Amino acid sequence: MNNRTTSKIDEFMNGRGAGKKLVACHTVQDLVNNLKKPRKIMLMVKAGDVVDKFIDSIVPYLEEGDIIIDGGNSHFPDSNRRTKTLEAKGLRFIGAGVSGGEEGALTGPSIMPGGSVSAWEHVKPIFQKIAAKVEDGSPCCDWVGEQGAGHFVKMVHNGIEYGDMQLICEAYQLLRTVGGVNNKEMHDVFVGWNKGDLDSYLIEITADILAKTEENDPNKYIVDSILDTAGQKGTGKWTAIAALDHGVPVTLIGEAVFARCLSAQKDERVEASKIIPATPVHPAADKQAFINDIRDAIYAAKIISYAQGFVLMNAAAKEFKWNLNYGGIALMWRGGCIIRSKFLGKIKEAFDKNPNLSNLVLDPFFLDKLQACLPGWRRVVAHATLSGIPVPALSTALSYYDGLRTERLPANLLQAQRDYFGAHTYERVDAPRGQFFHTNWTGRGGTTASSTYNA
């Protein structure tokens, strides 16, 4: 164990580390000299240049076959690069996504390792021993794939986490403003939801948050005193950017990121609220029915979010030639991590039944669930829209679902517009795919068309 602030090592060894099988090292060389070969060194530092600086400080003391592990929230292109660079030096690299927060650090996190394939056998026993376990004892850790695959999967995990949190926040807003549900009642609602299909860590902690009152005033809830501006560390943004790069519509995560950005514009929102007239809120006629509709809307949108995330991972796997086990990834997320939930077991079952499943929406279980939730989902989005309440995640998920099930979208008109102003060509329904045409729309243009490409 080594820390760049050496005083923290002494404090830890004299505190929580006292009496445990730990060796305190005050220099990198001391750390390397105390390790068995092949050496396995795990970095837990902030993503970015600092990771490269630490790697550069360690490499001179290592020998061929030694392993460097980055357990931070690094961006996957950096892990792709680090794998290649270190392998060229005869060393091995693992980029391991780690999720679980403070609780995971104590009781076992979810670990998503990728990188140098030959390194896995050396760290597998350690990682799987410290990882969280699901009901049957299976560890929430398995090999993800080559190069930056581990950090890519962790990035998508974090993006889905953004989406789950945004869905819960939208439900909270609707319950308060439309349902007239107070914090105590809402706590009970979330406790009930956590016993059904929505059983998850985030639903569980939301119930706890809603019940927490100020120490000096049991009638004042802490959540009501928190400023409505959300922070972010960037992994959700990375997921949205990766989705754009791969041409995959990961719309819910994108809206969740933008919702945080809009929340941060607090001063602008306060000013706008004084100028733009508010839309009258239409209270729910039947409170319990509305609560049930919101439950269905969350569950349906959650299916869409995970479906989009897995489609994105599949696209990346094809581009980077990673061999991803999607059922295994779902299992890794079943415990230890922030998005752990009962729901993930069904995702694993779906991919176990059909490893080549193109979209979770098409799995019979999830398709049936979506159909059952659809009426309530539509009512919630419609009610929110009529009441002027923003529900970007719930509504974009519904739009994706409707778009996915629509055989003919209006993109024919869009492509005609592109051909009109830029001679970008188009395909025809009465010609083979891959055959492109151009029309001289005005009679003044020529026959020359632009080359066909997707940017």
Side-chain angles (χ1 to χ4, degrees), residues 143-179:
W143 186 247
V144 174
E146 303 82 353
Q147 298 182 5
H151 274 131
F152 190 95
V153 168
K154 175 56 166 46
M155 177 193 73
V156 175
H157 162 284
N158 284 24
I160 289 173
E161 178 185 311
Y162 275 53
D164 279 357
M165 294 170 74
Q166 179 62 26
L167 289 172
I168 292 170
C169 289
E170 291 175 17
Y172 160 76
Q173 183 82 334
L174 288 168
L175 288 169
R176 288 173 65 243
T177 56
V178 176

PDB file of all heavy atoms in Angstrom, residues 143-179:
ATOM      1  N   TRP A 143     -13.938 -11.033 -16.639  1.00  0.00           N
ATOM      2  CA  TRP A 143     -13.195 -10.376 -17.703  1.00  0.00           C
ATOM      3  C   TRP A 143     -14.174  -9.768 -18.696  1.00  0.00           C
ATOM      4  O   TRP A 143     -15.113 -10.424 -19.142  1.00  0.00           O
ATOM      5  CB  TRP A 143     -12.275 -11.358 -18.403  1.00  0.00           C
ATOM      6  CG  TRP A 143     -11.372 -10.727 -19.422  1.00  0.00           C
ATOM      7  CD1 TRP A 143     -11.402 -10.896 -20.775  1.00  0.00           C
ATOM      8  CD2 TRP A 143     -10.301  -9.812 -19.169  1.00  0.00           C
ATOM      9  NE1 TRP A 143     -10.423 -10.143 -21.375  1.00  0.00           N
ATOM     10  CE2 TRP A 143      -9.726  -9.469 -20.415  1.00  0.00           C
ATOM     11  CE3 TRP A 143      -9.774  -9.258 -18.000  1.00  0.00           C
ATOM     12  CZ2 TRP A 143      -8.655  -8.602 -20.532  1.00  0.00           C
ATOM     13  CZ3 TRP A 143      -8.702  -8.389 -18.126  1.00  0.00           C
ATOM     14  CH2 TRP A 143      -8.143  -8.065 -19.372  1.00  0.00           C
ATOM     15  N   VAL A 144     -13.954  -8.498 -19.049  1.00  0.00           N
ATOM     16  CA  VAL A 144     -14.861  -7.805 -19.966  1.00  0.00           C
ATOM     17  C   VAL A 144     -14.386  -7.927 -21.402  1.00  0.00           C
ATOM     18  O   VAL A 144     -15.121  -8.364 -22.282  1.00  0.00           O
ATOM     19  CB  VAL A 144     -15.004  -6.317 -19.574  1.00  0.00           C
ATOM     20  CG1 VAL A 144     -15.836  -5.577 -20.618  1.00  0.00           C
ATOM     21  CG2 VAL A 144     -15.656  -6.190 -18.208  1.00  0.00           C
ATOM     22  N   GLY A 145     -13.121  -7.557 -21.663  1.00  0.00           N
ATOM     23  CA  GLY A 145     -12.626  -7.615 -23.029  1.00  0.00           C
ATOM     24  C   GLY A 145     -11.281  -6.930 -23.166  1.00  0.00           C
ATOM     25  O   GLY A 145     -10.663  -6.524 -22.187  1.00  0.00           O
ATOM     26  N   GLU A 146     -10.847  -6.796 -24.397  1.00  0.00           N
ATOM     27  CA  GLU A 146      -9.518  -6.282 -24.684  1.00  0.00           C
ATOM     28  C   GLU A 146      -9.433  -4.764 -24.490  1.00  0.00           C
ATOM     29  O   GLU A 146     -10.427  -4.059 -24.473  1.00  0.00           O
ATOM     30  CB  GLU A 146      -9.129  -6.640 -26.128  1.00  0.00           C
ATOM     31  CG  GLU A 146      -9.156  -8.132 -26.440  1.00  0.00           C
ATOM     32  CD  GLU A 146     -10.542  -8.688 -26.758  1.00  0.00           C
ATOM     33  OE1 GLU A 146     -11.544  -7.954 -26.609  1.00  0.00           O
ATOM     34  OE2 GLU A 146     -10.612  -9.871 -27.123  1.00  0.00           O
ATOM     35  N   GLN A 147      -8.199  -4.293 -24.346  1.00  0.00           N
ATOM     36  CA  GLN A 147      -7.862  -2.860 -24.301  1.00  0.00           C
ATOM     37  C   GLN A 147      -8.780  -2.073 -23.350  1.00  0.00           C
ATOM     38  O   GLN A 147      -8.837  -2.359 -22.166  1.00  0.00           O
ATOM     39  CB  GLN A 147      -7.867  -2.303 -25.719  1.00  0.00           C
ATOM     40  CG  GLN A 147      -6.830  -2.960 -26.623  1.00  0.00           C
ATOM     41  CD  GLN A 147      -6.792  -2.378 -28.013  1.00  0.00           C
ATOM     42  OE1 GLN A 147      -7.458  -1.409 -28.333  1.00  0.00           O
ATOM     43  NE2 GLN A 147      -5.992  -2.984 -28.876  1.00  0.00           N
ATOM     44  N   GLY A 148      -9.507  -1.086 -23.873  1.00  0.00           N
ATOM     45  CA  GLY A 148     -10.317  -0.229 -23.005  1.00  0.00           C
ATOM     46  C   GLY A 148     -11.726  -0.728 -22.757  1.00  0.00           C
ATOM     47  O   GLY A 148     -12.581   0.044 -22.300  1.00  0.00           O
ATOM     48  N   ALA A 149     -12.007  -1.999 -23.018  1.00  0.00           N
ATOM     49  CA  ALA A 149     -13.368  -2.526 -22.889  1.00  0.00           C
ATOM     50  C   ALA A 149     -13.909  -2.374 -21.466  1.00  0.00           C
ATOM     51  O   ALA A 149     -15.087  -2.061 -21.268  1.00  0.00           O
ATOM     52  CB  ALA A 149     -13.405  -3.991 -23.322  1.00  0.00           C
ATOM     53  N   GLY A 150     -13.055  -2.608 -20.473  1.00  0.00           N
ATOM     54  CA  GLY A 150     -13.504  -2.501 -19.085  1.00  0.00           C
ATOM     55  C   GLY A 150     -13.964  -1.106 -18.743  1.00  0.00           C
ATOM     56  O   GLY A 150     -15.026  -0.917 -18.124  1.00  0.00           O
ATOM     57  N   HIS A 151     -13.187  -0.113 -19.151  1.00  0.00           N
ATOM     58  CA  HIS A 151     -13.571   1.260 -18.860  1.00  0.00           C
ATOM     59  C   HIS A 151     -14.730   1.729 -19.738  1.00  0.00           C
ATOM     60  O   HIS A 151     -15.505   2.608 -19.329  1.00  0.00           O
ATOM     61  CB  HIS A 151     -12.366   2.198 -19.003  1.00  0.00           C
ATOM     62  CG  HIS A 151     -11.543   2.278 -17.753  1.00  0.00           C
ATOM     63  ND1 HIS A 151     -10.171   2.132 -17.738  1.00  0.00           N
ATOM     64  CD2 HIS A 151     -11.907   2.467 -16.452  1.00  0.00           C
ATOM     65  CE1 HIS A 151      -9.727   2.245 -16.493  1.00  0.00           C
ATOM     66  NE2 HIS A 151     -10.771   2.440 -15.701  1.00  0.00           N
ATOM     67  N   PHE A 152     -14.880   1.149 -20.934  1.00  0.00           N
ATOM     68  CA  PHE A 152     -16.035   1.491 -21.757  1.00  0.00           C
ATOM     69  C   PHE A 152     -17.312   1.004 -21.077  1.00  0.00           C
ATOM     70  O   PHE A 152     -18.302   1.744 -20.985  1.00  0.00           O
ATOM     71  CB  PHE A 152     -15.922   0.873 -23.154  1.00  0.00           C
ATOM     72  CG  PHE A 152     -16.955   1.389 -24.123  1.00  0.00           C
ATOM     73  CD1 PHE A 152     -16.658   2.445 -24.966  1.00  0.00           C
ATOM     74  CD2 PHE A 152     -18.229   0.827 -24.189  1.00  0.00           C
ATOM     75  CE1 PHE A 152     -17.607   2.948 -25.851  1.00  0.00           C
ATOM     76  CE2 PHE A 152     -19.182   1.315 -25.066  1.00  0.00           C
ATOM     77  CZ  PHE A 152     -18.871   2.379 -25.903  1.00  0.00           C
ATOM     78  N   VAL A 153     -17.293  -0.229 -20.596  1.00  0.00           N
ATOM     79  CA  VAL A 153     -18.464  -0.790 -19.914  1.00  0.00           C
ATOM     80  C   VAL A 153     -18.770   0.001 -18.648  1.00  0.00           C
ATOM     81  O   VAL A 153     -19.932   0.271 -18.331  1.00  0.00           O
ATOM     82  CB  VAL A 153     -18.244  -2.286 -19.606  1.00  0.00           C
ATOM     83  CG1 VAL A 153     -19.312  -2.819 -18.657  1.00  0.00           C
ATOM     84  CG2 VAL A 153     -18.246  -3.093 -20.896  1.00  0.00           C
ATOM     85  N   LYS A 154     -17.728   0.405 -17.917  1.00  0.00           N
ATOM     86  CA  LYS A 154     -17.947   1.230 -16.725  1.00  0.00           C
ATOM     87  C   LYS A 154     -18.544   2.589 -17.115  1.00  0.00           C
ATOM     88  O   LYS A 154     -19.405   3.134 -16.407  1.00  0.00           O
ATOM     89  CB  LYS A 154     -16.628   1.422 -15.975  1.00  0.00           C
ATOM     90  CG  LYS A 154     -16.702   2.381 -14.766  1.00  0.00           C
ATOM     91  CD  LYS A 154     -17.757   1.946 -13.752  1.00  0.00           C
ATOM     92  CE  LYS A 154     -17.637   2.632 -12.409  1.00  0.00           C
ATOM     93  NZ  LYS A 154     -17.432   4.058 -12.371  1.00  0.00           N
ATOM     94  N   MET A 155     -18.093   3.137 -18.234  1.00  0.00           N
ATOM     95  CA  MET A 155     -18.627   4.411 -18.708  1.00  0.00           C
ATOM     96  C   MET A 155     -20.121   4.286 -19.007  1.00  0.00           C
ATOM     97  O   MET A 155     -20.919   5.138 -18.607  1.00  0.00           O
ATOM     98  CB  MET A 155     -17.876   4.847 -19.967  1.00  0.00           C
ATOM     99  CG  MET A 155     -18.379   6.122 -20.610  1.00  0.00           C
ATOM    100  SD  MET A 155     -17.691   6.358 -22.277  1.00  0.00           S
ATOM    101  CE  MET A 155     -18.619   5.116 -23.200  1.00  0.00           C
ATOM    102  N   VAL A 156     -20.502   3.207 -19.687  1.00  0.00           N
ATOM    103  CA  VAL A 156     -21.923   2.987 -19.979  1.00  0.00           C
ATOM    104  C   VAL A 156     -22.701   2.769 -18.686  1.00  0.00           C
ATOM    105  O   VAL A 156     -23.823   3.266 -18.529  1.00  0.00           O
ATOM    106  CB  VAL A 156     -22.106   1.803 -20.942  1.00  0.00           C
ATOM    107  CG1 VAL A 156     -23.587   1.489 -21.141  1.00  0.00           C
ATOM    108  CG2 VAL A 156     -21.449   2.103 -22.296  1.00  0.00           C
ATOM    109  N   HIS A 157     -22.108   2.031 -17.757  1.00  0.00           N
ATOM    110  CA  HIS A 157     -22.724   1.850 -16.437  1.00  0.00           C
ATOM    111  C   HIS A 157     -23.033   3.212 -15.815  1.00  0.00           C
ATOM    112  O   HIS A 157     -24.136   3.455 -15.320  1.00  0.00           O
ATOM    113  CB  HIS A 157     -21.783   1.050 -15.529  1.00  0.00           C
ATOM    114  CG  HIS A 157     -22.082   1.152 -14.061  1.00  0.00           C
ATOM    115  ND1 HIS A 157     -21.764   2.269 -13.306  1.00  0.00           N
ATOM    116  CD2 HIS A 157     -22.671   0.290 -13.205  1.00  0.00           C
ATOM    117  CE1 HIS A 157     -22.147   2.083 -12.058  1.00  0.00           C
ATOM    118  NE2 HIS A 157     -22.701   0.890 -11.978  1.00  0.00           N
ATOM    119  N   ASN A 158     -22.059   4.107 -15.845  1.00  0.00           N
ATOM    120  CA  ASN A 158     -22.262   5.424 -15.239  1.00  0.00           C
ATOM    121  C   ASN A 158     -23.310   6.236 -15.992  1.00  0.00           C
ATOM    122  O   ASN A 158     -24.091   6.982 -15.393  1.00  0.00           O
ATOM    123  CB  ASN A 158     -20.936   6.198 -15.201  1.00  0.00           C
ATOM    124  CG  ASN A 158     -20.020   5.699 -14.095  1.00  0.00           C
ATOM    125  OD1 ASN A 158     -20.127   4.560 -13.651  1.00  0.00           O
ATOM    126  ND2 ASN A 158     -19.120   6.550 -13.660  1.00  0.00           N
ATOM    127  N   GLY A 159     -23.336   6.086 -17.324  1.00  0.00           N
ATOM    128  CA  GLY A 159     -24.358   6.764 -18.103  1.00  0.00           C
ATOM    129  C   GLY A 159     -25.750   6.270 -17.735  1.00  0.00           C
ATOM    130  O   GLY A 159     -26.689   7.059 -17.569  1.00  0.00           O
ATOM    131  N   ILE A 160     -25.896   4.961 -17.588  1.00  0.00           N
ATOM    132  CA  ILE A 160     -27.176   4.382 -17.178  1.00  0.00           C
ATOM    133  C   ILE A 160     -27.534   4.868 -15.774  1.00  0.00           C
ATOM    134  O   ILE A 160     -28.704   5.134 -15.474  1.00  0.00           O
ATOM    135  CB  ILE A 160     -27.110   2.842 -17.240  1.00  0.00           C
ATOM    136  CG1 ILE A 160     -27.072   2.383 -18.703  1.00  0.00           C
ATOM    137  CG2 ILE A 160     -28.285   2.214 -16.515  1.00  0.00           C
ATOM    138  CD1 ILE A 160     -26.850   0.900 -18.886  1.00  0.00           C
ATOM    139  N   GLU A 161     -26.530   5.006 -14.938  1.00  0.00           N
ATOM    140  CA  GLU A 161     -26.747   5.557 -13.587  1.00  0.00           C
ATOM    141  C   GLU A 161     -27.329   6.967 -13.676  1.00  0.00           C
ATOM    142  O   GLU A 161     -28.278   7.302 -12.951  1.00  0.00           O
ATOM    143  CB  GLU A 161     -25.406   5.573 -12.850  1.00  0.00           C
ATOM    144  CG  GLU A 161     -25.419   6.152 -11.453  1.00  0.00           C
ATOM    145  CD  GLU A 161     -24.018   6.230 -10.875  1.00  0.00           C
ATOM    146  OE1 GLU A 161     -23.293   5.214 -10.934  1.00  0.00           O
ATOM    147  OE2 GLU A 161     -23.643   7.308 -10.377  1.00  0.00           O
ATOM    148  N   TYR A 162     -26.800   7.787 -14.576  1.00  0.00           N
ATOM    149  CA  TYR A 162     -27.351   9.129 -14.799  1.00  0.00           C
ATOM    150  C   TYR A 162     -28.832   9.013 -15.153  1.00  0.00           C
ATOM    151  O   TYR A 162     -29.674   9.770 -14.665  1.00  0.00           O
ATOM    152  CB  TYR A 162     -26.627   9.826 -15.958  1.00  0.00           C
ATOM    153  CG  TYR A 162     -25.356  10.557 -15.626  1.00  0.00           C
ATOM    154  CD1 TYR A 162     -24.312   9.944 -14.941  1.00  0.00           C
ATOM    155  CD2 TYR A 162     -25.164  11.869 -16.035  1.00  0.00           C
ATOM    156  CE1 TYR A 162     -23.139  10.622 -14.669  1.00  0.00           C
ATOM    157  CE2 TYR A 162     -23.991  12.556 -15.781  1.00  0.00           C
ATOM    158  CZ  TYR A 162     -22.976  11.919 -15.099  1.00  0.00           C
ATOM    159  OH  TYR A 162     -21.811  12.590 -14.839  1.00  0.00           O
ATOM    160  N   GLY A 163     -29.138   8.090 -16.074  1.00  0.00           N
ATOM    161  CA  GLY A 163     -30.504   7.924 -16.533  1.00  0.00           C
ATOM    162  C   GLY A 163     -31.438   7.468 -15.432  1.00  0.00           C
ATOM    163  O   GLY A 163     -32.544   8.008 -15.277  1.00  0.00           O
ATOM    164  N   ASP A 164     -31.016   6.468 -14.661  1.00  0.00           N
ATOM    165  CA  ASP A 164     -31.844   5.970 -13.550  1.00  0.00           C
ATOM    166  C   ASP A 164     -32.148   7.081 -12.550  1.00  0.00           C
ATOM    167  O   ASP A 164     -33.282   7.227 -12.076  1.00  0.00           O
ATOM    168  CB  ASP A 164     -31.128   4.824 -12.831  1.00  0.00           C
ATOM    169  CG  ASP A 164     -31.286   3.487 -13.538  1.00  0.00           C
ATOM    170  OD1 ASP A 164     -31.993   3.440 -14.564  1.00  0.00           O
ATOM    171  OD2 ASP A 164     -30.719   2.488 -13.068  1.00  0.00           O
ATOM    172  N   MET A 165     -31.135   7.865 -12.225  1.00  0.00           N
ATOM    173  CA  MET A 165     -31.317   8.941 -11.253  1.00  0.00           C
ATOM    174  C   MET A 165     -32.270  10.005 -11.795  1.00  0.00           C
ATOM    175  O   MET A 165     -33.127  10.518 -11.066  1.00  0.00           O
ATOM    176  CB  MET A 165     -29.964   9.552 -10.895  1.00  0.00           C
ATOM    177  CG  MET A 165     -29.048   8.583 -10.152  1.00  0.00           C
ATOM    178  SD  MET A 165     -27.354   9.193  -9.965  1.00  0.00           S
ATOM    179  CE  MET A 165     -27.590  10.443  -8.704  1.00  0.00           C
ATOM    180  N   GLN A 166     -32.145  10.337 -13.092  1.00  0.00           N
ATOM    181  CA  GLN A 166     -33.022  11.341 -13.683  1.00  0.00           C
ATOM    182  C   GLN A 166     -34.470  10.861 -13.706  1.00  0.00           C
ATOM    183  O   GLN A 166     -35.396  11.633 -13.425  1.00  0.00           O
ATOM    184  CB  GLN A 166     -32.552  11.687 -15.096  1.00  0.00           C
ATOM    185  CG  GLN A 166     -33.421  12.717 -15.822  1.00  0.00           C
ATOM    186  CD  GLN A 166     -33.459  14.068 -15.139  1.00  0.00           C
ATOM    187  OE1 GLN A 166     -32.537  14.447 -14.430  1.00  0.00           O
ATOM    188  NE2 GLN A 166     -34.539  14.817 -15.353  1.00  0.00           N
ATOM    189  N   LEU A 167     -34.685   9.589 -14.015  1.00  0.00           N
ATOM    190  CA  LEU A 167     -36.040   9.037 -14.022  1.00  0.00           C
ATOM    191  C   LEU A 167     -36.673   9.137 -12.637  1.00  0.00           C
ATOM    192  O   LEU A 167     -37.848   9.506 -12.498  1.00  0.00           O
ATOM    193  CB  LEU A 167     -36.012   7.572 -14.473  1.00  0.00           C
ATOM    194  CG  LEU A 167     -35.712   7.324 -15.953  1.00  0.00           C
ATOM    195  CD1 LEU A 167     -35.519   5.837 -16.209  1.00  0.00           C
ATOM    196  CD2 LEU A 167     -36.836   7.863 -16.832  1.00  0.00           C
ATOM    197  N   ILE A 168     -35.895   8.814 -11.614  1.00  0.00           N
ATOM    198  CA  ILE A 168     -36.405   8.901 -10.242  1.00  0.00           C
ATOM    199  C   ILE A 168     -36.724  10.345  -9.880  1.00  0.00           C
ATOM    200  O   ILE A 168     -37.742  10.629  -9.235  1.00  0.00           O
ATOM    201  CB  ILE A 168     -35.386   8.289  -9.253  1.00  0.00           C
ATOM    202  CG1 ILE A 168     -35.298   6.766  -9.470  1.00  0.00           C
ATOM    203  CG2 ILE A 168     -35.771   8.591  -7.809  1.00  0.00           C
ATOM    204  CD1 ILE A 168     -34.161   6.101  -8.718  1.00  0.00           C
ATOM    205  N   CYS A 169     -35.871  11.275 -10.311  1.00  0.00           N
ATOM    206  CA  CYS A 169     -36.111  12.690 -10.015  1.00  0.00           C
ATOM    207  C   CYS A 169     -37.369  13.202 -10.709  1.00  0.00           C
ATOM    208  O   CYS A 169     -38.122  14.004 -10.149  1.00  0.00           O
ATOM    209  CB  CYS A 169     -34.900  13.525 -10.424  1.00  0.00           C
ATOM    210  SG  CYS A 169     -33.465  13.277  -9.351  1.00  0.00           S
ATOM    211  N   GLU A 170     -37.597  12.758 -11.930  1.00  0.00           N
ATOM    212  CA  GLU A 170     -38.811  13.166 -12.626  1.00  0.00           C
ATOM    213  C   GLU A 170     -40.048  12.600 -11.938  1.00  0.00           C
ATOM    214  O   GLU A 170     -41.084  13.279 -11.831  1.00  0.00           O
ATOM    215  CB  GLU A 170     -38.739  12.733 -14.094  1.00  0.00           C
ATOM    216  CG  GLU A 170     -37.692  13.514 -14.888  1.00  0.00           C
ATOM    217  CD  GLU A 170     -37.505  13.031 -16.319  1.00  0.00           C
ATOM    218  OE1 GLU A 170     -38.397  12.301 -16.817  1.00  0.00           O
ATOM    219  OE2 GLU A 170     -36.494  13.393 -16.942  1.00  0.00           O
ATOM    220  N   ALA A 171     -39.946  11.372 -11.456  1.00  0.00           N
ATOM    221  CA  ALA A 171     -41.053  10.770 -10.714  1.00  0.00           C
ATOM    222  C   ALA A 171     -41.323  11.565  -9.438  1.00  0.00           C
ATOM    223  O   ALA A 171     -42.486  11.836  -9.085  1.00  0.00           O
ATOM    224  CB  ALA A 171     -40.729   9.321 -10.378  1.00  0.00           C
ATOM    225  N   TYR A 172     -40.265  11.941  -8.757  1.00  0.00           N
ATOM    226  CA  TYR A 172     -40.367  12.735  -7.521  1.00  0.00           C
ATOM    227  C   TYR A 172     -41.090  14.058  -7.787  1.00  0.00           C
ATOM    228  O   TYR A 172     -41.997  14.450  -7.045  1.00  0.00           O
ATOM    229  CB  TYR A 172     -38.947  12.965  -6.989  1.00  0.00           C
ATOM    230  CG  TYR A 172     -38.752  14.109  -6.024  1.00  0.00           C
ATOM    231  CD1 TYR A 172     -39.163  14.013  -4.702  1.00  0.00           C
ATOM    232  CD2 TYR A 172     -38.109  15.285  -6.431  1.00  0.00           C
ATOM    233  CE1 TYR A 172     -38.950  15.064  -3.804  1.00  0.00           C
ATOM    234  CE2 TYR A 172     -37.890  16.330  -5.558  1.00  0.00           C
ATOM    235  CZ  TYR A 172     -38.318  16.225  -4.241  1.00  0.00           C
ATOM    236  OH  TYR A 172     -38.110  17.258  -3.359  1.00  0.00           O
ATOM    237  N   GLN A 173     -40.701  14.727  -8.865  1.00  0.00           N
ATOM    238  CA  GLN A 173     -41.315  16.016  -9.209  1.00  0.00           C
ATOM    239  C   GLN A 173     -42.807  15.846  -9.523  1.00  0.00           C
ATOM    240  O   GLN A 173     -43.644  16.639  -9.084  1.00  0.00           O
ATOM    241  CB  GLN A 173     -40.583  16.624 -10.407  1.00  0.00           C
ATOM    242  CG  GLN A 173     -41.067  17.999 -10.830  1.00  0.00           C
ATOM    243  CD  GLN A 173     -40.461  19.117  -9.985  1.00  0.00           C
ATOM    244  OE1 GLN A 173     -40.092  18.903  -8.834  1.00  0.00           O
ATOM    245  NE2 GLN A 173     -40.381  20.305 -10.559  1.00  0.00           N
ATOM    246  N   LEU A 174     -43.143  14.803 -10.265  1.00  0.00           N
ATOM    247  CA  LEU A 174     -44.541  14.558 -10.631  1.00  0.00           C
ATOM    248  C   LEU A 174     -45.380  14.175  -9.416  1.00  0.00           C
ATOM    249  O   LEU A 174     -46.526  14.619  -9.281  1.00  0.00           O
ATOM    250  CB  LEU A 174     -44.619  13.461 -11.690  1.00  0.00           C
ATOM    251  CG  LEU A 174     -44.142  13.843 -13.092  1.00  0.00           C
ATOM    252  CD1 LEU A 174     -43.999  12.615 -13.961  1.00  0.00           C
ATOM    253  CD2 LEU A 174     -45.103  14.839 -13.737  1.00  0.00           C
ATOM    254  N   LEU A 175     -44.817  13.354  -8.558  1.00  0.00           N
ATOM    255  CA  LEU A 175     -45.544  12.953  -7.351  1.00  0.00           C
ATOM    256  C   LEU A 175     -45.864  14.169  -6.482  1.00  0.00           C
ATOM    257  O   LEU A 175     -46.955  14.280  -5.921  1.00  0.00           O
ATOM    258  CB  LEU A 175     -44.736  11.927  -6.561  1.00  0.00           C
ATOM    259  CG  LEU A 175     -44.647  10.521  -7.173  1.00  0.00           C
ATOM    260  CD1 LEU A 175     -43.600   9.682  -6.452  1.00  0.00           C
ATOM    261  CD2 LEU A 175     -46.003   9.818  -7.137  1.00  0.00           C
ATOM    262  N   ARG A 176     -44.893  15.095  -6.386  1.00  0.00           N
ATOM    263  CA  ARG A 176     -45.084  16.291  -5.570  1.00  0.00           C
ATOM    264  C   ARG A 176     -46.110  17.236  -6.186  1.00  0.00           C
ATOM    265  O   ARG A 176     -47.048  17.680  -5.527  1.00  0.00           O
ATOM    266  CB  ARG A 176     -43.760  17.047  -5.407  1.00  0.00           C
ATOM    267  CG  ARG A 176     -42.748  16.399  -4.505  1.00  0.00           C
ATOM    268  CD  ARG A 176     -41.412  17.129  -4.530  1.00  0.00           C
ATOM    269  NE  ARG A 176     -41.520  18.481  -3.988  1.00  0.00           N
ATOM    270  CZ  ARG A 176     -41.303  19.589  -4.675  1.00  0.00           C
ATOM    271  NH1 ARG A 176     -40.995  19.524  -5.955  1.00  0.00           N
ATOM    272  NH2 ARG A 176     -41.408  20.771  -4.101  1.00  0.00           N
ATOM    273  N   THR A 177     -45.907  17.560  -7.454  1.00  0.00           N
ATOM    274  CA  THR A 177     -46.677  18.645  -8.061  1.00  0.00           C
ATOM    275  C   THR A 177     -48.034  18.212  -8.607  1.00  0.00           C
ATOM    276  O   THR A 177     -49.008  18.954  -8.515  1.00  0.00           O
ATOM    277  CB  THR A 177     -45.866  19.298  -9.189  1.00  0.00           C
ATOM    278  OG1 THR A 177     -45.487  18.282 -10.129  1.00  0.00           O
ATOM    279  CG2 THR A 177     -44.619  19.960  -8.654  1.00  0.00           C
ATOM    280  N   VAL A 178     -48.091  17.024  -9.193  1.00  0.00           N
ATOM    281  CA  VAL A 178     -49.340  16.544  -9.788  1.00  0.00           C
ATOM    282  C   VAL A 178     -50.099  15.630  -8.836  1.00  0.00           C
ATOM    283  O   VAL A 178     -51.320  15.724  -8.708  1.00  0.00           O
ATOM    284  CB  VAL A 178     -49.062  15.800 -11.118  1.00  0.00           C
ATOM    285  CG1 VAL A 178     -50.348  15.209 -11.683  1.00  0.00           C
ATOM    286  CG2 VAL A 178     -48.429  16.750 -12.130  1.00  0.00           C
ATOM    287  N   GLY A 179     -49.345  14.758  -8.152  1.00  0.00           N
ATOM    288  CA  GLY A 179     -49.990  13.804  -7.255  1.00  0.00           C
ATOM    289  C   GLY A 179     -50.304  14.346  -5.876  1.00  0.00           C
ATOM    290  O   GLY A 179     -51.090  13.736  -5.140  1.00  0.00           O
TER     291      GLY A 179
END
